[in-house]
Amino acid sequence: MMRNMRKGTRLAVVTLQHSRRHLTGHTAAPGARKTAVLFPGQGAQHVGMGADIYENFKAARDVIDASDEAVGGGLKKLMFEGPQQTLTSTENAQPAILCHSIALLKVLETEFGFDINSCTYALGHSLGEYSALVATQSLSLSDAIKLVRLRGEAMHRSVDSGKTTMKALIINGDHLEDIEALMSKIERSLPEGEVAQIANINSRSQVVLSGTSKGVDYACSIIQTKGYAGRALGLPVSAPFHCDLMQPAADEMKPALDGASFNDPTIEVISNVTGMPLGNATEIQSLLHQQITKTVQWQRSIRYAKDDDVHDWVVIGPSRVLANLLRKEFPTDAIRAVATAEDVQQHGPHLCRRKR
């Protein structure tokens, strides 16, 4: 049943996209330059993250100290000093990445007058969707930090991480749809207890598989044998996100999401689940719940923004991976990655002039 639901969601993204765009009123004006702000997800964590902006900017200190307090202490020390293995554990990586992303955003706002409301869209990759909601005032920083800490703890409790994995596949040529179709067949053919599903569609050249180690290895080998993909790269994560194995985590998160206070975002936030803008607060809660087990439709989310004439992209957070994907997809676009204090100084003066 769950696998059929996942397939249905992918089809819905395609069939509803044009009607939803009409309802939201986004049509690209010829010659206009629009901006989207992006926030990274897990895998972006590293020891020392945020230490440079904490030292140099009061706005960063305020965010990092508030985040540390929200989880009862220890987060700041872990971000700055590690160890890496503990930081990578999902219950720590998630609040750390959100904290760092929002700290960078607040520095850009206070030091350079960057206004996210001058942008057209905000997007966040998986965990980064919470960062996007904080950035657009849909969710408070304190509530978001507590939610993603719980999200990480619930994910950690859901599985035996020693028997699960996530692997990125580099797609050969234009075989994304072939891989999606093949994965539907592979899912149905796996032995009882084995899981392999598409966790992320990051671009037309990269997908990520998630599930049990045996299931994912088997799926990778079939896809590679078909010639649809080349290398399979293991990811530095502690749980198999965005697959059926995360259903216990989704069940645990639902009451917390239902009880959290959400506002309508100040600009449109594109959903990981649908690849289209989120609606009201109730829909946000529902989609954040679904997001835990469903495929991150990142490529379709980016395509939605691009089809609305977005040419300027700002990636805010402790990783340049999303910026690198954009550069490969849209080599002539303006793409800025803000991950460090040096990046803030380099890009801040330009970002204050971003226009919708």
Side-chain angles (χ1 to χ4, degrees):
M1 176 65 71
M2 179 64 68
R3 289 169 183 170
N4 290 336
M5 289 172 63
R6 289 166 62 90
K7 183 177 180 181
T9 299
R10 289 196 290 267
L11 292 173
V13 169
V14 176
T15 57
L16 291 177
Q17 184 164 357
H18 291 295
S19 60
R20 181 62 176 270
R21 188 183 300 284
H22 175 73
L23 290 172
T24 56
H26 281 288
T27 54
R33 291 188 70 88
K34 298 181 179 181
T35 302
V37 181
L38 286 62
F39 298 93
Q42 291 189 83
Q45 69 280 348
H46 59 86
V47 174
M49 59 190 296
D52 58 344
I53 56 172
Y54 188 89
E55 180 180 353
N56 287 284
F57 302 105
K58 180 181 182 301
R61 290 193 289 274
D62 290 345
V63 170
I64 294 171
D65 287 343
S67 300
D68 191 68
E69 182 179 351
V71 296
L75 179 63
K76 176 172 66 176
K77 180 178 174 60
L78 188 57
M79 290 169 62
F80 294 175
E81 301 177 15
Q84 181 68 34
Q85 183 176 358
T86 306
L87 179 60
T88 297
S89 187
T90 184
E91 68 270 22
N92 297 320
Q94 295 198 42
I97 294 165
L98 188 152
C99 168
H100 190 191
S101 298
I102 298 303
L104 286 163
L105 174 66
K106 292 303 179 184
V107 171
L108 291 172
E109 291 175 346
T110 58
E111 297 293 325
F112 297 98
F114 175 64
D115 181 8
I116 198 168
N117 295 320
S118 69
C119 303
T120 306
Y121 297 110
L123 304 82
H125 191 286
S126 186
L127 157 74
E129 194 162 345
Y130 287 83
S131 302
L133 291 169
V134 174
T136 57
Q137 300 177 43
S138 177
L139 183 62
S140 72
L141 173 64
S142 177
D143 284 353
I145 288 289
K146 292 173 184 176
L147 282 171
V148 301
R149 166 56 67 88
L150 175 61
R151 185 176 184 262
E153 291 172 342
M155 288 175 166
H156 181 76
R157 286 190 286 266
S158 292
V159 295
D160 179 353
S161 60
K163 298 180 180 179
T164 62
T165 191
M166 294 185 75
K167 290 189 175 182
L169 279 169
I170 309 304
I171 300 173
N172 293 330
D174 193 24
H175 286 297
L176 173 58
E177 286 76 16
D178 294 325
I179 290 174
E180 290 184 276
L182 182 57
M183 280 301 300
S184 294
K185 296 178 181 178
I186 291 172
E187 287 180 39
R188 294 192 296 269
S189 69
L190 288 171
E192 184 71 24
E194 299 298 339
V195 175
Q197 293 169 328
I198 298 178
N200 309 333
I201 301 176
N202 288 333
S203 70
R204 294 200 65 81
S205 61
Q206 186 192 96
V207 297
V208 174
L209 304 189
S210 181
T212 58
S213 297
K214 289 182 179 179
V216 170
D217 287 346
Y218 173 75
C220 287
S221 68
I222 295 296
I223 292 169
Q224 290 168 323
T225 299
K226 290 281 188 179
Y228 295 160
R231 292 179 297 160
L233 308 173
L235 300 185
V237 294
S238 63
F241 309 122
H242 303 291
C243 73
D244 291 353
L245 294 175
M246 289 291 103
Q247 188 59 51
D251 295 341
E252 187 174 344
M253 277 295 293
K254 191 174 189 307
L257 288 168
D258 289 345
S261 178
F262 289 88
N263 302 308
D264 292 344
T266 55
I267 64 171
E268 289 189 314
V269 176
I270 300 178
S271 165
N272 284 187
V273 174
T274 65
M276 295 180 291
L278 293 163
N280 57 30
T282 301
E283 184 183 13
I284 292 172
Q285 290 166 315
S286 174
L287 288 172
L288 286 177
H289 174 247
Q290 294 177 52
Q291 185 222 59
I292 296 171
T293 58
K294 292 190 180 296
T295 302
V296 174
Q297 299 287 351
W298 190 250
Q299 188 269 338
R300 292 185 174 100
S301 299
I302 294 295
R303 190 73 254 171
Y304 185 97
K306 188 63 178 175
D307 286 348
D308 194 27
D309 211 32
V310 168
H311 291 281
D312 293 0
W313 310 83
V314 184
V315 181
I316 301 176
S319 171
R320 303 179 193 277
V321 171
L322 297 182
N324 292 337
L325 286 172
L326 287 169
R327 291 187 180 106
K328 185 172 183 179
E329 293 276 310
F330 313 121
T332 63
D333 282 6
I335 300 163
R336 300 182 186 276
V338 182
T340 65
E342 183 179 353
D343 294 334
V344 167
Q345 297 288 2
Q346 178 183 351
H347 298 303
H350 304 281
L351 295 178
C352 70
R353 296 191 292 272
R354 294 288 114 186
K355 299 297 182 183
R356 189 179 179 86

